[in-house]
């Protein structure tokens, strides 16, 4: 059977683009969404027009019971999980001193806890199969830190830490774990920036353009075919951040 892949937060933006690319390649795609039911249904319908079938599953991945439901659905239907893409995420633009405990819990639970819980729930099946790939969509801000996005930066740095440690723990079971750290990609997440701010950002990017979701999905397609890359944080940012 083709590879089975769960993508969290696939109703919009980067996750949606990943779902489309992998489904068109013939993978069995389980596209998770939480609030954007209409967008998820639209994605499914769009692919059905090309006679491609995907599963869309509602789950709030910041909650353990929903994570279990999503993984259980996948295993009941396909009996295996080859690839997990922890993509669901939220950001917030706020002074650090204005961040509340509620903000902290929401961002950390949505971005970091979700990757922890999703990975915990899929790993037993991957260990059983002696094969698997986990990809965490982190961020350039996790690598270098983003002003006014401190909690977001913490959540993404946490994902990268998890990637490195888990890659070591799971390597002997032939499970690879990698992060992709995007720079600035055109999605709803960046609607907060004005035209002028975006122009300023472009000037800071050596390649002079803001990235597209397909720049990320192409790398994911490559990682799925690859066999020897693990524990890495792959930066895709037009040269914006070079460490
Ligand atoms: P986006 O367009 O805002 O999409 C976010 C996705 O996450 C949506 O599909 C949303 O689904 C889902 N999501 C949010 N909370 C969720 C929850 N509790 N449970 C399940 N799904 C949830 O953002 P994006 O730009 O595509 O971002 C995707 C990932 O890339 C994020 O992790 C983000 O931090 C990372 N990233 C993005 C950029 C960028 O420039 N765009 C840069 C660096 C990193 P619902 O609407 O259905 O809830």
């Amino acid at each position: 059977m083709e590879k089975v892949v769960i993508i969290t937060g696939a109703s919009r933006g980067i996750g949606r683009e990943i779902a489309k690319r992998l489904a068109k390649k013939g993978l069995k795609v389980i596209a998770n969404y939480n609030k954007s039911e209409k967008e998820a249904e639209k994605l499914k319908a769009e692919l059905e027009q090309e006679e491609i079938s995907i599963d869309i599953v509602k789950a709030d991945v910041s909650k353990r019971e929903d994570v279990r439901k999503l993984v259980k659905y996948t295993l009941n239907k396909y009996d295996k999980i080859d690839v997990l893409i922890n993509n669901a995420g939220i950001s917030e633009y706020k002074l650090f001193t204005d961040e509340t405990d509620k903000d902290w819990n929401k961002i950390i639970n949505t971005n970091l806890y979700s990757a922890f819980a999703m990975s915990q729930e899929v790993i037993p099946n991957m260990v059983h199969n002696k094969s698997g790939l986990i990809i965490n969509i982190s961020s350039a801000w996790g690598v270098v830190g983003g002003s006014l996005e401190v909690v977001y930066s913490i959540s993404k740095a946490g994902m990268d830490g998890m990637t490195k440690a888990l890659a070591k723990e799971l390597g002997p079971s032939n499970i690879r774990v990698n992060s992709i750290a995007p720079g600035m990609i055109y999605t709803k997440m960046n609607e907060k920036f004005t035209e002028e701010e975006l122009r300023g950002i472009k000037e800071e990017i050596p390649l002079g353009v803001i990235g597209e979701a397909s720049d990320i999905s192409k790398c994911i397609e490559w990682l799925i075919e690859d066999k020897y890359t693990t524990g890495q944080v792959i930066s895709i940012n037009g040269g914006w951040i070079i460490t």
Side-chain angles (χ1 to χ4, degrees):
M1 203 221 284
E2 275 299 341
K3 286 191 169 154
V4 177
V5 50
I6 301 180
I7 306 159
T8 67
S11 53
R12 290 200 311 267
I14 296 171
R16 180 191 180 88
E17 178 59 31
I18 299 167
K20 273 167 73 175
R21 179 175 291 269
L22 299 184
K24 284 182 187 185
K25 263 209 94 192
L27 275 78
K28 298 282 174 210
V29 169
I30 292 82
N32 154 253
Y33 66 95
N34 183 30
K35 293 183 183 148
S36 306
E37 185 148 18
K38 280 207 178 91
E39 280 91 337
E41 277 167 359
K42 217 172 115 196
L43 168 68
K44 187 174 167 62
E46 219 178 280
L47 287 165
E48 270 167 3
Q49 282 187 346
E50 297 180 45
E51 296 185 1
I52 298 165
S53 160
I54 65 161
D55 295 81
I56 53 169
V57 182
K58 178 174 164 61
D60 177 348
V61 292
S62 68
K63 299 203 168 93
R64 177 70 72 165
E65 64 270 26
D66 279 28
V67 163
R68 287 208 174 111
K69 199 181 72 183
L70 173 59
V71 173
K72 201 168 161 198
Y73 171 93
T74 309
L75 289 176
N76 281 346
K77 186 153 179 188
Y78 298 108
D79 210 29
K80 65 166 186 167
I81 296 161
D82 298 290
V83 184
L84 165 66
I85 302 171
N86 288 314
N87 167 77
I90 51 170
S91 67
E92 199 166 44
Y93 210 55
K94 235 183 195 185
L95 263 180
F96 180 63
T97 42
D98 288 342
E99 296 278 11
T100 62
D101 285 359
K102 202 173 158 202
D103 294 328
W104 168 275
N105 288 334
K106 189 153 198 290
I107 295 171
I108 297 294
N109 288 343
T110 306
N111 297 0
L112 182 56
Y113 172 80
S114 64
F116 161 75
M118 282 298 303
S119 302
Q120 276 196 331
E121 296 297 330
V122 304
I123 285 168
N125 180 262
M126 290 180 172
V127 168
H128 175 78
N129 297 334
K130 274 238 156 221
S131 169
L133 170 64
I134 297 171
I135 302 173
N136 294 316
I137 307 297
S138 57
S139 165
W141 292 158
V143 181
V144 295
S147 172
L148 296 173
E149 295 191 76
V150 176
V151 181
Y152 178 79
S153 301
I154 293 169
S155 73
K156 296 301 185 175
M159 285 180 110
D160 290 346
M162 184 176 116
T163 288
K164 293 172 191 175
L166 204 50
K168 290 182 180 172
E169 193 166 314
L170 295 178
S173 301
N174 191 34
I175 298 166
R176 292 179 297 124
V177 188
N178 290 288
S179 284
I180 294 181
M184 171 79 83
I185 307 289
Y186 274 124
T187 67
K188 196 171 179 339
M189 190 171 268
N190 293 321
E191 277 178 354
K192 58 183 177 275
F193 295 108
T194 63
E195 276 303 314
E196 202 187 327
E197 283 169 330
L198 287 176
R199 238 191 330 272
I201 291 167
K202 274 190 214 168
E203 279 169 17
E204 290 173 12
I205 299 174
L207 290 180
V209 285
I210 286 173
E212 289 172 14
S214 61
D215 294 317
I216 308 303
S217 66
K218 279 181 204 156
C219 180
I220 293 208
E221 188 179 340
W222 173 79
L223 269 175
I224 291 172
E225 277 169 19
D226 172 72
K227 293 202 162 35
Y228 202 53
T229 306
T230 195
Q232 303 306 309
V233 178
I234 302 170
S235 289
I236 302 180
N237 59 38
W240 196 18
I241 279 127
I242 300 176
T243 52

